[in-house]
Amino acid sequence: MVVFLVLGAVVWLLLVVAVLSICRAAARADENEAGRRIARAGKRGVGVGLVAAAATLPITPADDEANARAARCENRNVPFETAPKAARAALICELRRVHARRDLPRLHIDDRLAKAARRHAANMVKRKYFSHYSPNGDSVADRARRTGYVKSSCSWRVGEVLAWGVASRSTAAATVRAWMNSSEHRHILISPIYSDLGIGAIAGTPVKEYPDGLTAAAVFGRRDCSS
């Protein structure tokens, strides 16, 4: 009887050890899989950051017809690092082209909005952040107010889109396509409300790992100071 009890206890102990070993193995597998998921998410995060700056949209027959009707923007596929001035001018052309293809009001370049856009783009590169709000909490309206575009005596509205990219993703064409591929950004780009535009295109990016490239801010606005 005692022998059977001892054997029973030994078998029970072995079963417990086996179960614990299986649990630990499963836990390690879960940890490894979690690590792989985090790694994959991290890689996607980098990709999303780049794609958000400059994704490519598929060309449709309607786009081809529109392209045939509209003048092609010169230097639209030139990387910003290669020719900053030409790429900046192409970015303005591309945004105006978006309006022209939809019979929207022509966008007029406003020096005050351009100053607000340049300051914000430069600040993002210098302080390594990517947001519509600066580290001290300033918004696009605050920045437009400091340049004199937004006044308390006028009715006004402003909108802002941001992007950063490197190499082929720093071109004017790629940047605008990325904005058009985002519903929130597209809403601003094709809104008939805005008539003024300011572009800030700065060399460098808000990410330390990518010192060369483009950081762009486009500020759209409309104001009425007649009253």
Side-chain angles (χ1 to χ4, degrees):
M1 183 67 179
V2 174
V3 173
F4 285 115
L5 290 175
V6 171
L7 288 175
V10 170
V11 171
W12 180 83
L13 182 60
L14 290 174
L15 287 173
V16 171
V17 171
V19 170
L20 289 176
S21 297
I22 293 171
C23 290
R24 279 196 289 271
R28 285 194 296 271
D30 288 342
E31 290 171 356
N32 291 335
E33 179 59 26
R36 285 193 290 271
R37 287 198 298 269
I38 291 171
R40 288 196 295 268
K43 292 178 182 177
R44 286 199 300 270
V46 172
V48 167
L50 294 175
V51 171
T56 302
L57 293 179
I59 299 299
T60 66
D63 288 330
D64 288 336
E65 293 175 8
N67 290 345
R69 292 195 302 269
R72 193 174 184 85
C73 293
E74 190 176 3
N75 299 314
R76 65 195 299 270
N77 292 312
V78 173
F80 186 82
E81 304 96 303
T82 304
K85 187 175 182 180
R88 188 180 294 109
L91 184 56
I92 294 173
C93 179
E94 284 288 291
L95 291 172
R96 280 178 162 170
R97 189 162 167 259
V98 168
H99 268 224
R101 288 166 61 181
R102 292 163 178 79
D103 294 325
L104 296 172
R106 177 176 172 81
L107 292 169
H108 301 281
I109 300 303
D110 187 280
D111 291 338
R112 293 158 297 190
L113 292 182
K115 182 183 291 186
R118 284 196 306 271
R119 287 176 176 176
H120 189 49
N123 193 44
M124 287 191 293
V125 171
K126 180 180 180 179
R127 303 178 70 174
K128 301 303 177 189
Y129 71 95
F130 187 66
S131 172
H132 292 288
Y133 292 89
S134 64
N136 64 356
D138 284 348
S139 67
V140 59
D142 296 320
R143 294 186 287 272
R145 183 176 289 106
R146 279 197 294 272
T147 64
Y149 184 84
V150 170
K151 293 183 177 181
S152 58
S153 58
C154 306
S155 61
W156 55 269
R157 183 167 182 171
V158 294
E160 179 183 69
V161 293
L162 307 175
W164 70 269
V166 298
S168 62
R169 295 181 176 184
S170 69
T171 67
T175 301
V176 173
R177 284 173 182 168
W179 283 333
M180 292 294 286
N181 200 34
S182 163
S183 59
E184 293 181 357
H185 295 79
R186 179 186 175 90
H187 176 74
I188 294 175
L189 264 63
I190 67 173
S191 172
I193 295 174
Y194 300 114
S195 57
D196 300 326
L197 171 67
I199 292 291
I202 303 297
T205 78
V207 180
K208 293 180 181 179
E209 289 78 8
Y210 299 95
D212 300 318
L214 160 74
T215 296
V219 181
F220 296 77
R222 181 171 191 148
R223 69 174 194 171
D224 181 8
C225 300
S226 58
S227 57

